[in-house]
Amino acid sequence: MVHYNLSEIVTSGAQQYTTRCALVSGSDRTTYRGLEAKSSRVANLLTELGIRPGDTVALSSPNIEAFPVIFFGILKVGAAAVPLNPLLKSSEVRQLLDDSRAVAYFCFADTPDLSTATEGRGAAVESPYCRTFITIPDPADPDARTARTDPEHSSLTQIDYVAAVARQSETFEAVTTDENDTAVVLFTSGTTGRPKGAELMHRNLRDNIRAINDAVTGESTVVDTVLCALPLFHIFGQTCLQNAALARGGTLVLQRRFEADGALHLMHRESVNYFAGVPTMYWLLLSALRADPTRPVPALRVAASGGAPLPLELNQEFEQRFGLPIMDGYGLSETSPAALSGRVGENSPPGSVGRPIGDVAVKLVDENWREIDPEHRDPDAVGELAVRGHNVMKGYLGRPDDTAAVLRDGWLRTGDLARRDGDGFYYIVGRQKDLIIRGGYNVYPSELEDILMAHPAVSLAAVVGVPHPVHGQEVKAFVVLRPDTTLEAEVLTAWSKEHMAAYKYPRIVEIVDSLPMTATGKILKRALVDSSGDSRNIQH
């Protein structure tokens, strides 16, 4: 047995970087010593409420100081944190509370445009497991922090966060946990069905943080100031920004919800030198800079991307404006998340998501788990990416069949299709579920999206497969145009025919003002497919 608790990040940080700023949230600044004290108050509150090692505690909050404070407080008592999207509705929250058996729930207050507390309280009242509901106030509206009680449901204790933690001690010795104990239950987005809770162990997250920091630090001794616009309830923001930055003594600047103008303002105000986001965030940043050519460009040391394929045109424009390329990487909730990454100072080939990090191994497999091109002789060989290493989850909480479907002999099937070049760099070509098979030919959407975005009028593109009675599937492109440009769908179809193979080019093009996205900024392709109907009347 090896003892380790991920909350050691905060405790050791308070010892090493005592008065250094750990968090910037609005106008509030929290030192490392302050973060340790505040998370200890949460831990003492949870102990008072009867939370014990092995329990699960849910947390719904935007990117404000309370999120990391509560997150590490939960870990200190030996419980597992269950971060939830604050945009979820009551029925969705209820499902996740029940699946995780959360005994307590920290939930952000209602705001004029968000009913997180109302939806969350409704779910907690109905959950057979949840005993305590703690309302987190909105820092922008402190008068709205009082928890509403419901006498008809007295079995649910309802508490005001501010008052409850104020009376607690600022010291707490973290509970000793085994490194294989569950630290976080992270629910998958549910874009392919009912969300599943990936159980991530303390060692999963500890070792992934170390590998990430090895990749992004390089020879630099600079103390990073990191803009955290990625939602902290998602593994990308939680591990790659919150945990990794705090583990190396950086300052985490929290943006409540990503907005490009606000992000650029924070970058300048706080001298941010590190930014990580999904591709659509970079697209929005560049759009904001195009809209105001006089605006100065932030001086970044590192720009990192993940969560979705990074279009080549986007990376090239970013490098021209910012003077550095975007370092792309790959991972998922089930891998804590990082599995592949570029490295600072390394010139990764365009379109690559890098090579395996740390002690991670990857291979390409077919539907029967057989390795494709084991000798790595064919750079065009495509297979499903499988991952093994420190980062692979324990399994899906309470879902043995789902776990067995993706885990075998330590290897995790990711559902993503990839290829590998002769130098060991990997390239994601699409999700297995997004693969379009048109007339027996495989069509990879990300390849077509890259080509479409090379058109001077195209700002963003998403390619999906829609049903077709003859070909099985037909290729459809949804396209957002650059400002002050016009382009007919038929013209873009003709242009695509000149730049893509006959079986690839999109027969259907729809010009749209925007694309549906998840809360983490990924394009929601399922919604695009659902809105498309069939394709019986396509002209060929």
Side-chain angles (χ1 to χ4, degrees):
M1 176 182 291
V2 177
H3 297 307
Y4 179 76
N5 188 312
L6 189 68
S7 67
E8 287 184 21
I9 290 173
V10 173
T11 303
S12 62
Q15 296 167 353
Q16 296 179 65
Y17 318 115
T18 310
T19 58
R20 185 182 294 176
C21 182
L23 304 173
V24 176
S25 181
S27 60
D28 296 328
R29 296 174 184 271
T30 306
T31 64
Y32 275 84
R33 178 169 54 195
L35 178 56
E36 166 71 3
K38 290 179 179 181
S39 61
S40 290
R41 286 182 182 271
V42 171
N44 281 308
L45 170 62
L46 290 172
T47 300
E48 181 182 282
L49 293 171
I51 308 302
R52 298 289 180 261
D55 284 341
T56 50
V57 177
L59 167 60
S60 291
S61 173
N63 287 8
I64 58 174
E65 180 202 65
F67 189 103
V69 167
I70 295 168
F71 178 83
F72 288 110
I74 293 169
L75 297 181
K76 282 187 174 187
V77 299
V82 186
L84 303 179
N85 186 338
L87 299 177
L88 295 178
K89 297 299 184 181
S90 184
S91 60
E92 297 169 311
V93 176
R94 166 70 192 280
Q95 175 185 312
L96 304 186
L97 291 179
D98 288 358
D99 284 358
S100 64
R101 300 196 172 193
V103 296
Y105 183 16
F106 289 88
C107 188
F108 188 61
D110 286 347
T111 64
D113 59 348
L114 205 61
S115 301
T116 305
T118 297
E119 302 290 347
R121 186 183 295 106
V125 162
E126 298 298 327
S127 173
Y129 306 103
C130 192
R131 305 191 301 262
T132 308
F133 183 85
I134 306 110
T135 308
I136 306 167
D138 181 356
D141 186 10
D143 294 332
R145 70 190 187 197
T146 303
R148 182 177 66 82
T149 59
D150 189 342
E152 294 183 10
H153 299 280
S154 56
S155 61
L156 180 69
T157 302
Q158 300 183 57
I159 295 173
D160 172 61
Y161 172 78
V162 172
V165 297
R167 65 174 183 268
Q168 303 297 329
S169 168
E170 292 186 347
T171 60
F172 185 90
E173 185 174 347
V175 169
T176 300
T177 53
D178 185 86
E179 65 173 7
N180 292 316
D181 288 343
T182 300
V184 177
V185 177
L186 204 55
F187 282 93
T188 58
S189 63
T191 55
T192 57
R194 180 178 173 125
K196 300 181 289 290
E199 288 192 82
L200 302 179
M201 299 173 279
H202 288 272
R203 66 170 176 85
N204 286 148
L205 299 166
R206 175 198 64 200
D207 294 348
N208 210 233
I209 292 164
R210 291 172 179 171
I212 290 166
N213 283 342
D214 284 345
V216 303
T217 302
E219 301 298 321
S220 174
T221 57
V222 173
V223 176
D224 286 319
T225 299
V226 178
L227 178 61
C228 183
L230 288 163
L232 287 172
F233 64 79
H234 189 269
I235 191 64
F236 190 2
Q238 192 180 120
T239 296
C240 300
L241 297 183
Q242 173 187 272
N243 297 350
L246 294 175
R248 63 179 186 271
T251 297
L252 196 69
V253 179
L254 299 171
Q255 186 179 21
R256 185 154 159 168
R257 190 171 183 181
F258 179 76
E259 184 269 322
D261 286 325
L264 290 168
H265 171 73
L266 284 172
M267 286 182 186
H268 288 296
R269 190 189 81 182
E270 301 296 336
S271 300
V272 167
N273 62 356
Y274 189 112
F275 179 76
V278 296
T280 51
M281 288 181 174
Y282 286 100
W283 174 68
L284 290 166
L285 287 174
L286 290 169
S287 297
L289 289 171
R290 285 191 223 107
D292 183 4
T294 64
R295 173 177 264 164
V297 176
L300 297 178
R301 182 184 76 82
V302 174
S305 178
L310 178 67
L312 295 176
E313 288 287 323
L314 194 65
N315 201 351
Q316 290 169 359
E317 183 181 352
F318 182 89
E319 185 169 5
Q320 289 171 359
R321 285 185 174 267
F322 283 77
L324 77 162
I326 300 171
M327 187 176 72
D328 206 358
Y330 168 83
L332 59 163
S333 299
E334 292 87 341
T335 59
S336 304
L340 297 158
S341 179
R343 288 164 175 78
V344 167
E346 175 185 70
N347 293 320
S348 297
S352 166
V353 292
R355 292 184 279 202
I357 65 168
D359 62 351
V360 172
V362 299
K363 63 181 179 181
L364 305 177
V365 299
D366 63 17
E367 63 274 12
N368 296 312
W369 291 84
R370 291 189 296 261
E371 185 171 2
I372 294 172
D373 189 32
E375 301 299 323
H376 307 305
R377 293 176 179 172
D378 182 3
D380 295 320
V382 172
E384 184 180 352
L385 197 67
V387 178
R388 183 177 66 184
H390 72 260
N391 53 347
V392 174
M393 66 173 180
K394 182 186 294 186
Y396 293 120
L397 180 64
R399 302 283 191 88
D401 293 341
D402 289 329
T403 300
V406 299
L407 280 177
R408 179 181 294 183
D409 299 326
W411 288 95
L412 171 79
R413 299 186 72 125
T414 65
D416 287 303
L417 300 172
R419 64 179 180 86
R420 176 190 186 277
D421 69 18
D423 294 319
F425 289 93
Y426 284 81
Y427 304 76
I428 303 300
V429 300
R431 290 285 294 169
Q432 179 72 54
K433 66 181 179 63
D434 292 336
L435 173 67
I436 303 168
I437 303 178
R438 182 187 186 275
Y441 289 97
N442 290 349
V443 178
Y444 302 105
S446 61
E447 177 191 1
L448 275 57
E449 290 159 0
D450 272 346
I451 297 172
L452 287 167
M453 287 183 64
H455 190 287
V458 174
S459 177
L460 192 63
V463 173
V464 300
V466 294
H468 189 273
V470 176
H471 301 300
Q473 285 183 297
E474 189 52 89
V475 182
K476 180 174 182 178
F478 292 83
V479 172
V480 178
L481 300 182
R482 289 179 179 267
D484 303 320
T485 61
T486 58
L487 183 67
E488 296 298 323
E490 295 78 7
V491 174
L492 186 56
T493 299
W495 181 90
S496 300
K497 187 176 181 180
E498 294 178 359
H499 291 80
M500 304 177 196
Y503 68 91
K504 292 182 182 179
Y505 77 88
R507 267 66 173 179
I508 325 167
V509 172
E510 185 173 338
I511 308 296
V512 295
D513 294 329
S514 63
L515 295 171
M517 297 184 187
T518 67
T520 56
K522 296 181 184 179
I523 296 172
L524 195 56
K525 290 191 173 182
R526 187 179 69 179
L528 295 175
V529 173
D530 291 346
S531 71
S532 296
D534 65 28
S535 306
R536 298 176 187 276
N537 299 314
I538 299 168
Q539 299 298 315
H540 302 284

